[in-house]
Amino acid sequence: MSITETNSLYDHLENMSIKEILTNINNEDAKVHLAVQNEIEKVEKLVELLINRVNTGGRLFYIGAGTSGRLGILDASEIPPTYGMPHGVVVGLIAGGDKAIRKAVEAAEDNIHGGWNELEKYHINKKDTVVGIAASGGTPYVIGALKDANCNGLLTACITCNPNSDIAKVVDIAIEPIVGPEFVTGSTRMKAGTAQKMVLNMITTSLMIKLGRVKGNKMIDMQLTNKKLIERGSKMIMDETHMEYEEARRLLLLHGSVRSVLDNYNQ
């Protein structure tokens, strides 16, 4: 039996007080960052390869089922507004299609050819990278896609929370934060999901920084989609140029991004 399916270290959860439940969940969550820390070198290896591939027109595809698929979609969807990257550079796919984001699609994750069929719709090629996300490490939809990706010469990686899993055997880079049994037995949306989200954050954040989408510690290419982001952008410009707020805001709205304002200012 995989570690993610083994019995919780706690029992009789229904007899615990609310505080006991919350404290014990928190105690388990405290183990997650250590498990992720153990995998930093593997994440580093993946990001180093991704930098050149994305710079030369390659794309990053996340593929998963259930919680794992939703986490990939979440990470991918944040890249255009946060870093100003075009839609389609980072893509998240989930077994069962978009309708599975909100509601489970029966047996979708068992379709071994479903993942590659979805990837082919994007005219996937050797410049691209496929990262399979599967807490258990045994999801047929994901493993099938990775096997086909390998056969077609793509770089492959996985994020899984079980050691010696089937998925790790078919990828170039296996990222395996082993977080142990879940507080509620088998509920991998908890620690396993948290670990996966942390790794996804690390991959795309470090990638975007190295692609030049951050200056200092600021998201200078973020999209100005709401008042909060316009305020944030104006403050970035003020910090860099020492100009007054009204002028910073005017220039931001005129040029459309913090980067454009700073480029014009420094000419």
Side-chain angles (χ1 to χ4, degrees), residues 63-75:
I63 189 163
T67 295
S68 297
R70 295 181 188 102
L71 288 170
I73 289 170
L74 172 63
D75 192 74

Side-chain angles (χ1 to χ4, degrees), residues 26-98:
N26 184 247
N27 288 340
E28 288 302 301
D29 285 345
K31 301 174 182 179
V32 176
H33 83 278
L34 296 174
V36 172
Q37 184 180 68
N38 290 335
E39 299 301 296
I40 286 178
E41 289 187 4
K42 295 178 183 177
V43 179
E44 178 188 22
K45 181 179 178 181
L46 174 60
V47 174
E48 286 178 342
L49 293 171
L50 279 170
I51 292 168
N52 183 61
R53 296 172 77 85
V54 174
N55 264 331
T56 55
R59 296 163 294 175
L60 170 59
F61 288 88
Y62 294 135
I63 189 163
T67 295
S68 297
R70 295 181 188 102
L71 288 170
I73 289 170
L74 172 63
D75 192 74
S77 67
E78 293 288 348
I79 301 308
T82 304
Y83 296 107
M85 290 292 285
H87 288 276
V89 175
V90 182
V91 179
L93 300 175
I94 185 171
D98 285 353

